[in-house]
Amino acid sequence: MNSMKKLSLFLTLVCFATSYGQETHKATLICNLAALNSETPAYEACYFSEQQPGTDTREFTIYVKVGDIIEWDGMSTDGEGAIDIKKIKYESGTNVFNKPEIDGVTTVVGTVRQDTEGKPEYKYKISFKVNDTGRMYSIDPKVAVRP
């Protein structure tokens, strides 16, 4: 496919998504590698770029609408290591995705399929590795769907 056709297809998809109010939410997990390596719990060594200062990562909530896309990615505070998001797994509340687990290699992407308005928030476990090696870390924030 030539580049002009690719651009046309891309713009068509963007216009289609925009016309239905679909929004992409980026949840960037930022981790202090020195703290992780010194056995500091992941929820204390990491935070989300979208997080209000002083909020515990376990209480961090992404507010979305049905049809929205959530993209989880990661980075280190020093820029020296890669935070590879491996899995989003249902823990409790109303499951907003079509399946209990969404896998990835360095990033995980999910589309919100169910409304949680008036229901318990979706609590999930985000699992990640540093430089795609060694120990698997996890944090369990929330997703809340709004009308």
Side-chain angles (χ1 to χ4, degrees):
M1 181 181 289
N2 70 34
S3 58
M4 190 56 103
K5 285 184 179 178
K6 286 181 184 177
L7 177 61
S8 176
L9 178 60
F10 173 75
L11 292 174
T12 300
L13 290 173
V14 168
C15 289
F16 178 77
T18 304
S19 68
Y20 285 95
Q22 183 181 50
E23 188 176 338
T24 299
H25 303 266
K26 194 160 189 161
T28 302
L29 183 66
I30 303 171
C31 297
N32 179 321
L33 298 182
L36 281 175
N37 289 332
S38 70
E39 299 301 316
T40 300
Y43 73 89
E44 292 178 3
C46 303
Y47 63 93
F48 289 92
S49 62
E50 304 79 4
Q51 189 172 337
Q52 293 295 321
T55 304
D56 186 324
T57 54
R58 297 170 295 181
E59 295 304 315
F60 173 70
T61 304
I62 300 171
Y63 295 95
V64 297
K65 293 182 179 180
V66 173
D68 284 359
I69 296 168
I70 305 172
E71 179 181 327
W72 291 269
D73 67 355
M75 61 186 283
S76 63
T77 54
D78 62 8
E80 296 297 314
I83 304 299
D84 300 311
I85 308 300
K86 298 295 189 178
K87 183 179 297 205
I88 301 300
K89 183 178 179 184
Y90 170 78
E91 289 283 299
S92 65
T94 304
N95 189 350
V96 299
F97 302 109
N98 282 342
K99 50 189 174 179
E101 292 183 10
I102 307 170
D103 296 315
V105 177
T106 59
T107 303
V108 174
V109 178
T111 301
V112 176
R113 300 288 183 203
Q114 296 189 43
D115 190 352
T116 59
E117 185 178 4
K119 300 175 187 171
E121 294 171 331
Y122 171 70
K123 185 86 168 161
Y124 64 95
K125 182 187 294 183
I126 180 171
S127 299
F128 62 96
K129 287 189 171 193
V130 176
N131 295 323
D132 200 26
T133 60
R135 180 177 170 190
M136 182 79 78
Y137 299 91
S138 63
I139 295 176
D140 54 349
K142 303 173 188 175
V143 173
V145 180
R146 301 292 185 234

